[in-house]
Amino acid sequence: MDEELNITIDPACLRLEAPLALDIIMQLDTFGLCLYSMLSFMSLLTLLLYLEQCVYIYKKLPYPKKISIIWISGASPVVATMACCGMWVPRAVMITDMTSNCYFAVVVYKVLALLIEELGGMRDFLQRFSGKTFRINTGPCCCCCACLPRVPVIFSSYLGMLFLMKLGSMQYAVLKTVFSILSVILWMNGTFHLTNLNINSAMIWINPFVGVLLVISIWPIGIVFMNTKILMRSLKIIPKYALYQLTLVLCQLQTSIINILALNGCIACAPPLTSYARGSMLSQQILIMEMFIISLFTRSLYRRLYDPLPSEEHDNEQNEKAALKAALEEHDV
């Protein structure tokens, strides 16, 4: 006769909702209390360093460049602050995640605006590159399409390529906020739930569509960066762009992977935390540490003054000198 196995499952693991903040505090031991205190201090320090950096940027840099830099520099402090709130109040994770994602949607547009402003603004950008062509086979949409033709830059802020690229990045900032508000309304109505993966669920339709909007919005930034990074090398534009991409991956891709693992039961529950709540908790804690480190690198790159870029005439002179030097060396040979 086969022996029956009696498996006892904690009722807390079967709950759909996250525990209350008081339940989390009451369950903390000495190590947990020290961990929560350290992460909260890191979030606070990240926010204080950012506020001091904002004061420096506002005094030292001209408008509108300083507005874009303040928005971009605030990505890691905002994400860390929202992650800290979600860590202490697990039931507010959806609200805190949507808040940080809406802020980062604006940062995506501000990165493109900063690239244009570093080259003198829209008018100077169009004058510098008017008549030239940009390659558009860049990530994440067309990195494998080497056969795509180069697109000319037209001197028109309303009909040209630059306007379309700005529109492509701005749409995510607007639509992400709209869909976040819609998600909160559906959540209050009980229609939107992060753990509901049924085909009739609102979440299974809204989140993939927002992901497509994100991919479309970062494509114009890749186009401008790949075609202008050599000109802006003195402004440390490559490490700045790398930090932006790293923040994007950590906030979007890493969080999604952890949530998927938690939904599939790969992360064990730890009462009073369910499997999904524990996955969200781990995601918040990891984000706080990562954003603290990123904020230090961001501070070292943005809290400083750079020499302005040379004019287009200077670039042409340098190109002519380089061509003449190459011709003389070839003649001597």
Side-chain angles (χ1 to χ4, degrees), residues 137-148:
N137 55 334
T138 62
C141 292
C142 302
C143 54
C144 299
C145 303
C147 59
L148 287 177

Side-chain angles (χ1 to χ4, degrees), residues 114-115 118 225 228-244 297-298 300-307 309:
L114 180 62
L115 293 175
E118 292 287 11
F225 172 75
T228 61
K229 62 180 180 180
I230 297 178
L231 295 175
M232 295 187 287
R233 185 170 295 176
S234 61
L235 302 177
K236 305 292 184 183
I237 199 64
I238 296 178
K240 290 178 181 177
Y241 185 78
L243 279 179
Y244 145 74
F297 286 100
T298 302
S300 65
L301 289 174
Y302 287 102
R303 196 188 181 282
R304 56 186 299 184
L305 300 177
Y306 294 93
D307 295 331
L309 291 176

